[in-house]
């Protein structure tokens, strides 16, 4: 079937009654997504690493550290006990930092039901292995592809917690599983679509963070809208070429998980990656930036592994390479811009996907699909 996203209609409260789900991770996005699931009618338990955070959510229905001023649903349960969080959960949503996911998976494995589906909400790449989060899940737990899914889109946590309307894409090799996830995650203000393009959906969420860093840097320097528009556009071209070579459907990159997420992350002052880039553009070091934010900007840890993969796949990503140079201190923030779109001064097409050979993951999925037909 086509990997173009198709909608699941919101308003699934009756269909979700009694559907037990778990959310692992109580940061701003994990807590917000737990609220979405509750408002969609699911029976939700949120796991928090720190008992005091779990207690505040359970008793006061607040997470004052990450979502100040937001009242959480009365039916939302929270615990710091992994076993209690996972008991009976058919869908397990993972909202933890990308660099701790492997350890988190090892921690939850003893409590997982053999029928549980794991859904990554994480938008990063494992630095040590250059694996995407779905690949880390498969590598750590040796799961069937139908038990691994991702969900991504323009998802600024605080805006969603305030019930400002938006959407996302649930993606799984098994379309039926993607539809199950989308049904669970479709609230009145949050519409979830489905596709089977796990690679494209996941890479859109990873790559847009790198472009958002670039936007933040030039914003911090003081450049205007022309520069930012050019970086967003050229950045989308870099994202699309990388994703297609990796086996993605280019249509996914023009949808919610690609362009939609890119726009939101690049323009919102609530975006962690945009904020990190802006501080760096203003002259703060990475350490000072981390101290100011007190949150993880996934893009910073993803720059190096993405460029490693790009080199392996024969792709040039000038904007992402410039971001790395700024982070390494070998380029001044004011010198970052869209002008280094090619390696030389020869005019090039904006985007050329013709003749690109499908990546190994796309070829593997095509073979798997063929064997099932």
């Amino acid at each position: 079937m086509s990997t173009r996203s198709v909608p699941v209609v919101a308003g699934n409260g009756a269909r979700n009654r009694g559907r037990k789900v778990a959310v692992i991770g109580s940061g701003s996005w994990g807590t917000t997504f737990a609220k979405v699931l509750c408002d969609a009618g699911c029976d939700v338990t949120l796991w928090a690493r720190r008992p005091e955070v779990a207690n505040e959510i359970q008793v006061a229905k607040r997470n004052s550290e990450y979502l100040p001023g937001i009242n959480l649903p009365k039916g939302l349960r929270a615990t710091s006990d992994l076993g209690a969080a996972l008991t009976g959960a058919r869908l397990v949503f993972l909202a933890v930092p990308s660099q701790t996911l492997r350890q988190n998976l090892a921690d939850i494995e003893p409590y997982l039901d053999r029928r549980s589906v794991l859904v990554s909400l994480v938008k990063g790449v494992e630095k040590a292995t250059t694996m995407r989060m779905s690949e880390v899940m498969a590598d750590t737990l040796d799961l069937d592809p139908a038990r691994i899914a991702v969900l991504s889109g323009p998802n600024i946590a605080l805006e969603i917690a305030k019930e400002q309307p938006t959407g996302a894409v649930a993606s799984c090799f098994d379309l039926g599983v993607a539809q199950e996830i989308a049904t669970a995650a479709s609230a009145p203000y949050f519409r979830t679509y489905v596709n089977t393009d796990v690679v494209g959906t996941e890479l859109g969420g990873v790559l847009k963070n790198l472009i958002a860093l670039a936007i933040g840097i030039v914003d911090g320097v003081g450049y205007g809208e022309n520069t930012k528009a050019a970086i967003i556009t050229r950045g989308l071209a870099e994202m699309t070429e990388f994703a297609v070579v990796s086996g993605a459907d280019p249509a996914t990159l023009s949808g919610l998980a690609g362009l939609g997420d890119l726009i939101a992350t690049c323009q919102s002052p609530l975006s962690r990656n945009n904020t990190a880039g802006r501080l760096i553009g203003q002259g703060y070091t990475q350490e000072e930036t981390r101290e100011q934010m007190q949150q993880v900007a996934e893009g910073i840890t993803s720059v190096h592994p993405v460029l490693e993969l790009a080199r392996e796949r024969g792709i040039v990503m000038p904007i992402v390479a410039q971001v790395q140079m700024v982070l390494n201190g070998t380029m001044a923030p004011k010198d970052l811009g869209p002008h280094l779109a090619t390696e030389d001064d020869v005019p090039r097409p904006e985007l050329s996907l013709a003749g690109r050979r499908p990546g190994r993951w796309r070829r593997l999925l095509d073979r798997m699909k063929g064997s099932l037909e």
Side-chain angles (χ1 to χ4, degrees), residues 310-323:
R311 281 190 289 270
E312 288 176 10
R313 295 166 190 183
I315 305 165
V316 177
M317 302 184 78
I319 292 172
V320 179
Q322 290 176 72
V323 169

Side-chain angles (χ1 to χ4, degrees), residues 215 246 277 279:
I215 291 294
S246 303
L279 290 169

Side-chain angles (χ1 to χ4, degrees), residues 281-324:
Q282 291 170 351
Y284 289 89
T285 66
Q286 287 188 57
E287 183 58 36
E288 289 168 337
T289 296
R290 279 191 291 270
E291 289 174 3
Q292 287 251 359
M293 293 179 58
Q294 296 183 328
Q295 288 195 75
V296 176
E298 292 284 8
I300 290 177
T301 57
S302 297
V303 170
H304 180 71
V306 165
L307 285 175
E308 272 191 34
L309 290 171
R311 281 190 289 270
E312 288 176 10
R313 295 166 190 183
I315 305 165
V316 177
M317 302 184 78
I319 292 172
V320 179
Q322 290 176 72
V323 169
Q324 184 179 53

Side-chain angles (χ1 to χ4, degrees), residues 110 173 199 208 220-221 255-256 306 333 342-343 363:
F173 169 71
V199 175
K208 58 86 188 179
V221 169
L256 286 167
V306 165
T342 60
E343 292 180 301
R363 297 196 300 274

Side-chain angles (χ1 to χ4, degrees), residues 242-256:
F242 182 99
V244 169
V245 170
S246 303
D249 184 336
T252 303
L253 276 295
S254 66
L256 286 167

Side-chain angles (χ1 to χ4, degrees), residues 231-249:
I231 289 175
I232 289 173
T233 308
R234 294 304 309 149
L236 180 61
E238 290 187 20
M239 289 169 56
T240 303
E241 184 177 13
F242 182 99
V244 169
V245 170
S246 303
D249 184 336

Side-chain angles (χ1 to χ4, degrees), residues 1-6 8 146 170-182 193-197 369:
M1 65 161 281
S2 168
T3 56
R4 291 179 183 274
S5 300
V6 294
V8 169
S171 184
C172 182
F173 169 71
D174 185 321
L175 180 61
V177 173
Q179 290 171 328
E180 180 183 353
I181 295 163
Y193 294 72
V194 296
N195 71 30
T196 57
D197 183 15
K369 286 179 181 177

Side-chain angles (χ1 to χ4, degrees), residues 345-365:
D345 292 329
V346 178
R348 306 285 185 184
E350 277 196 286
L351 178 63
S352 178
L353 301 177
R356 281 295 189 185
R357 187 164 175 257
R360 60 192 176 101
W361 293 111
R362 170 58 60 192
R363 297 196 300 274
L364 173 61
L365 287 175

